[in-house]
Every structure is written in C-alpha cells, then in structure tokens.
Amino acid sequence: MVSMQKFGLSDRMAAVAGLVPHGVRACDVGCDHGFVSIYLVREQICPSVIAMDINRGPLLRAKEHIESARLSAYIETRLSDGIEKLLPGEAECMIAAGMGGRLIVKILEDHPETLSSLRYLVLQPQSELRFVREYLRRKGFVIQKEDMVLEDGKFYPMMLVEVLCPGEVRRDAGSEEEINNYRYHLEDAFGPCLIKEKHPVLLEYLTFWEAQQEKIWKEVQAYPGRRAQVEEELGRIRDVRRLMQS
C-alpha cells in the first residue's frame, strides 16, 4: 500500500494506483482531475492511459493538469459514459474508483465486448462491496489482490480483478453449492484476500463495525426482526475474525 501523497494523490487513490499491474495500458473511468493517470505515467507503471469521464468539466480540468505535467503524448482524455468510448484492445486495465458499487457493475455489464478485451480491473467501490464481489464471483472473475485504507475516518476497500479470457475454463462460480456456501457470503461481504492476508485495516474495520452493531442492538430490543438482523451481522463479524485467526 502506498502511504505517501504524491502528485496530488490521497492515500486512498495512491493505494488504488498501487494495484495497477506494471506495464499495462490503462483507462481511468471517472478520472476526475486526472491525477491517477498522471501518477501512473510518471511512476512508469503504465506506458499510456486513457482518462475518461462522463462530465465535460472534470475532463477539461484533467486535460489542463495533463498538459501542465507535459504528459499529453501519453495520456488521452475522452468524454465517455463508462467505457462506451473505449475500443476493444485500446487498454488492458480498467480503473473505476470512487463510485457506487451498482454503477461499477452497470459499467461492466453495459459493454461486454470491451470488457472481455481487458485483462484487469482495479475497482474501488464506495458502496455495496458485497454486491460487487458477489457479481464478480458469479461471473467467474478472480479477485487477485485487495487493499484497504483508513482515511479521514472512512474505510476504503479496493481490489485487483483478473478478467476471464474467452474460452478459459473456470470453476462454476454460479453453482448452487457455492452460492449457498456460508464462507463465500463472508468473503463477499469482507473481502477474500483481506481475510486471507489478515489485513490490519480490515481488523480495524471489524472492531469499528462491531461497536456500531452492538450500539444498534441495544436500541432495537423491542423489535425482534431488526434485533435478529443485528445479531446475524454480529455473528458474521465474529466468524470473519475466526477465519483471520486460523
């Protein structure tokens, strides 16, 4: 995990950039000010980047920053809704950070041909992590690596995902046995690599989340249905801790 702020990157975005494999051409979806794209080229992680955004204002600011960094020969800006304007073969890695989980899944679903031409995804959903991980698992994609950052009192998980190659044989990620497997539900919620690697920030998050749930539990004693939901979540937290200790 990158902890030092460079080229205007927060720790969170530096950690996102740190998940991008070296040597790949990247597209940064929702590039905002273009700082991630600049970082990737300046640090020689990517030979080229296509910085994309659905909004013209942020894209113009990104272009100004790229020109100021004298990297226009290596970073192209492109107005695009998701990866709509990305042609198959133009990039090997897609970065989508700082947007909702369902929006990220929609971006992946909307352009299957372009998606299948990618090798990697670097994703940092701001919400609905369980939904995103479950989607990836059922599609047979592989979460290769995860990181988690605590910044300004908020927890930010992120992941490097391997995209399926056409015709590649994988286990049936959508089988009934796997869908009903309790461990997969825990991994979808908290991160398979974070659990396996006993990530210290995940441990911090578990402590925080457990305290939140215990507070709610005390407030919902008169509501059996809600109380049962909270008790179930507390059970999952304890089970994740046991997995991390094993």
Side-chain angles (χ1 to χ4, degrees), residues 129-131 133-134 137 143 146 157 178-196 202 205-206 209 231-246:
L129 267 295
R130 184 180 310 189
F131 177 79
R133 291 192 187 105
E134 182 180 1
R137 174 170 59 80
I143 298 177
E146 291 180 288
E178 183 168 321
I179 290 170
N180 291 328
N181 187 309
Y182 179 60
R183 176 156 182 160
Y184 283 105
H185 287 300
L186 293 179
E187 291 179 346
D188 290 344
F190 297 97
C193 299
L194 296 175
I195 293 171
K196 182 179 179 180
L202 176 58
Y205 173 74
L206 291 173
W209 190 235
E231 289 171 351
E232 186 178 350
E233 185 66 14
L234 285 167
R236 281 194 286 263
I237 293 168
R238 290 190 287 269
D239 290 339
V240 170
R241 278 213 180 93
R242 278 193 284 268
L243 284 175
M244 296 177 75
Q245 291 168 0
S246 62

Side-chain angles (χ1 to χ4, degrees), residues 50-66:
I50 300 173
M52 312 173 81
D53 206 286
I54 192 173
N55 295 310
R56 193 175 300 274
L59 201 65
L60 288 173
R61 287 194 295 272
K63 188 173 183 179
E64 290 173 1
H65 294 144
I66 292 161

Side-chain angles (χ1 to χ4, degrees), residues 218-236:
K218 292 176 182 177
E219 296 171 351
V220 296
Q221 292 303 297
Y223 307 96
R226 181 69 178 114
R227 186 180 66 206
Q229 289 177 344
V230 175
E231 289 171 351
E232 186 178 350
E233 185 66 14
L234 285 167
R236 281 194 286 263

